[in-house]
Amino acid sequence: MRAAVLQAVGDETVEVRDDVEVVGPGPGEVRVAIRATGVCHSDLSAMNGTIPQPTPAVLGHEGAGEVVAVGEGVGTIKLGDHVIVVWVPPCGTCRYCLGGQPNLCTQVMYSAGLTPRFVVGGSPAYGFAGTGTFAEEVVLPVQGVVAIDKDVPWEIASLLGCGVVTGVGAAINAAKVRPGSSVLVYGCGGVGMAVIQGARIAGAAEIVAVDRVEAKLDQARRFGATHAVVPERLGGPKDEITEGDGFDYAFEVIGRPETIRAAYDNVRRGGTAVVVGAGRAEETVELNAFELFYSEKTLKGTIYGSADVRTDFHRLLRLWKAGRLDLEGMISDRLDLSKINEAFAKMRAGEAIRQVIHFGGAA
Ligand code: NAD
Ligand code: ZN
C-alpha cells in the first residue's frame, strides 16, 4: 500500500512509497482504512526534530477512516465503523483518565508510539505519534479510535483528530475563556484558527489575531477575529481594547520562545497565557523572578486541547452541525498523497490553514 515515510530526522522531504505494509491487527487493535488526513505542523516538527520521533516512520496523525479489521477482544468498535484517529488514546483506568485529564494519559500512547506497526522495504517502521495516517491503512489500539456518525464527511472528521480539538479545546477546556473577555491569538494556522473559533464560541468580546503572513489576517476575521494584525502592529488594538494594559488571555500557537514570551507580555496582570505551540526541548523561555509573583499571571501549557476525546469529538461535531463551528472554511487545499512535500513547503511558508489529503478520491 501507499504511505509517506520519513527515513531519518533532519530529512527535508518524505518518500511516498507503494511497498509499505501494515502489521495486524493483534488483540485489542483495529485496522483502519484512512479516507482523509490533515497536514499539521507537528508532522513537520517530527521531520526537523522539534518533536521526538523514532524513524523510519510513516507521518500523519490527524485522520479519519473506516474500520476494515478488528482484532481479538475488541468489543466496542465494529467492522465498518467510521472513526476519528486519536493520538493520545485514553487507557480509561489510570489516575489521569479517572481524574478527568485523559489527555495526559501515557499508558497507551507510549506503547503505541514505540511499536513498529509498518514494514517499509522489509524493515520495521513506526507510525508518527503512534498513528501514521499518511498511509492507506493504519493499525491502532482500540482506545486510539472514536466512532462517529456515518453522515459526517471524511475531511470534516479528519480535522477534529488534531487541529480542531487542540485549538477549540485550548480556549474552552484549558483557558476556560469567560464571556466578555479579551483574547489574543499568536499564529493563524489550522490550530490558531481553531483557537479563534473556540474563543468566539466561548463568548469573547474581542479576539485579536496575529500572524506575520498578511493573507492570514482576513481569513482570521472570517473565523471570528475582531481585529487581525501583523506582529509589529499589535500595539494598536492592544491600546484600543485594553488601554495598553494587556489581554485577559493570550494563546501562543506557533511554538517559538519569542512568541511565547510575547504572549506572556501581552496579557494583563492576573491574565492567562496559554502555550499551544509545540516547541523544541533545547529552547528556553526566560521569565524573571520578580514578574512571576508581581504580575500574578498564569502561564500554562495545553496538550490535545485538554480534551476528553470520547465526549469532546461529539461536542465539536454538534457545534459544527449547529453552524457554530466552521470546519469547511478551514480546508485551504485538498490534495493527493503524492503532493505531500508540496504541502509541507506551503506550510513552511505559513500559507495554509489546513491541507487535507484524500485517499480513494471521496470527500
Ligand atoms: P501552521 O504552520 O499551520 O501555522 C502556524 C502559523 O504561525 C502560520 O500562519 C505562520 O505564518 C504563523 N507564524 C509563524 N511564525 C510566526 C511569528 N514569529 N509571528 C507571527 N506568526 C507566525 O501550524 P499549525 O498546524 O496551526 O500548528 C501550530 C502549532 O501548534 C505547532 O507548533 C504545532 O506543532 C502545535 N500543535 C500543538 C498541539 C498540542 O497538543 N499542544 C497539537 C497540534 C499542534
Ligand atoms: Zn497535530
Side-chain angles (χ1 to χ4, degrees):
M1 66 164 190
R2 236 158 44 113
V5 180
L6 174 67
Q7 290 296 351
V9 172
D11 287 358
E12 297 211 336
T13 55
V14 291
E15 208 184 331
V16 179
R17 304 175 58 128
D18 289 319
D19 63 345
V20 179
E21 292 164 47
V22 66
V23 183
E29 297 176 340
V30 295
R31 183 149 48 88
V32 176
I34 298 296
R35 302 293 185 217
T37 174
V39 183
C40 173
H41 202 102
S42 301
D43 296 303
L44 209 51
S45 297
M47 295 173 71
N48 64 30
T50 302
I51 296 176
Q53 174 59 42
T55 53
V58 173
L59 294 187
H61 61 285
E62 180 180 276
E66 186 174 340
V67 175
V68 291
V70 172
E72 216 178 287
V74 171
T76 45
I77 294 287
K78 299 177 299 299
L79 217 57
D81 276 355
H82 289 198
V83 296
I84 298 175
V85 174
V86 173
W87 58 262
V88 185
C91 77
T93 57
C94 73
R95 65 192 165 104
Y96 290 112
C97 286
L98 297 177
Q101 294 178 302
N103 64 309
L104 301 181
C105 173
T106 53
Q107 304 288 322
V108 184
M109 180 173 80
Y110 285 172
S111 63
L114 297 172
T115 308
R117 292 178 189 277
F118 298 97
V119 177
V120 177
S123 304
Y126 301 90
F128 174 43
T131 63
T133 57
F134 294 165
E136 286 174 304
E137 294 191 346
V138 293
V139 165
L140 301 159
V142 67
Q143 298 93 338
V145 294
V146 169
I148 53 164
D149 288 348
K150 292 191 176 170
D151 61 355
V152 179
W154 294 117
E155 58 182 16
I156 295 298
S158 72
L159 296 183
L160 290 178
C162 184
V164 170
V165 72
T166 297
V168 177
I172 66 178
N173 296 328
K176 295 189 170 61
V177 168
R178 290 184 59 198
S181 48
S182 58
V183 171
L184 171 64
V185 180
Y186 260 96
C188 301
V191 186
M193 295 300 192
V195 174
I196 291 169
Q197 295 209 60
R200 169 176 48 73
I201 290 164
E206 298 95 7
I207 303 170
V208 179
V210 176
D211 202 289
R212 64 183 178 194
V213 174
E214 287 266 1
K216 286 290 177 68
L217 306 180
D218 275 341
Q219 295 169 345
R221 288 190 194 95
R222 272 205 284 122
F223 293 109
T226 55
H227 303 67
V229 290
V230 291
E232 299 72 28
R233 297 200 172 272
L234 176 58
K238 183 179 174 186
D239 288 347
E240 180 198 324
I241 296 164
T242 75
E243 293 172 348
D245 214 17
F247 298 86
D248 295 322
Y249 304 90
F251 295 85
E252 199 277 355
V253 205
I254 300 164
R256 300 279 319 145
E258 61 276 16
T259 39
I260 293 170
R261 180 69 230 195
Y264 184 84
D265 286 339
N266 282 294
V267 291
R268 62 168 173 82
R269 286 179 78 195
T272 301
V274 181
V275 179
V276 188
R280 298 185 82 88
E282 316 86 81
E283 290 181 338
T284 56
V285 180
E286 273 190 32
L287 297 163
N288 73 55
F290 185 84
E291 66 188 342
L292 276 171
F293 90 93
Y294 185 73
S295 69
E296 209 180 287
K297 295 182 187 181
T298 299
L299 175 64
K300 68 180 294 178
T302 174
I303 180 162
Y304 216 15
S306 307
D308 186 337
V309 291
R310 298 164 297 188
T311 50
D312 278 354
F313 284 162
H314 298 104
R315 200 150 70 111
L316 293 168
L317 281 170
R318 282 173 38 231
L319 282 165
W320 166 71
K321 280 187 179 166
R324 304 189 63 193
L325 177 62
D326 178 7
L327 299 181
E328 287 84 354
M330 291 193 44
I331 301 170
S332 45
D333 306 84
R334 296 174 173 84
L335 51 139
D336 183 79
L337 186 66
S338 57
K339 300 275 188 284
I340 181 68
N341 289 309
E342 282 101 311
F344 283 137
K346 202 162 179 177
M347 177 169 266
R348 285 189 187 97
E351 286 167 4
I353 304 176
R354 264 310 189 246
Q355 307 180 80
V356 179
I357 294 165
H358 282 275
F359 289 95

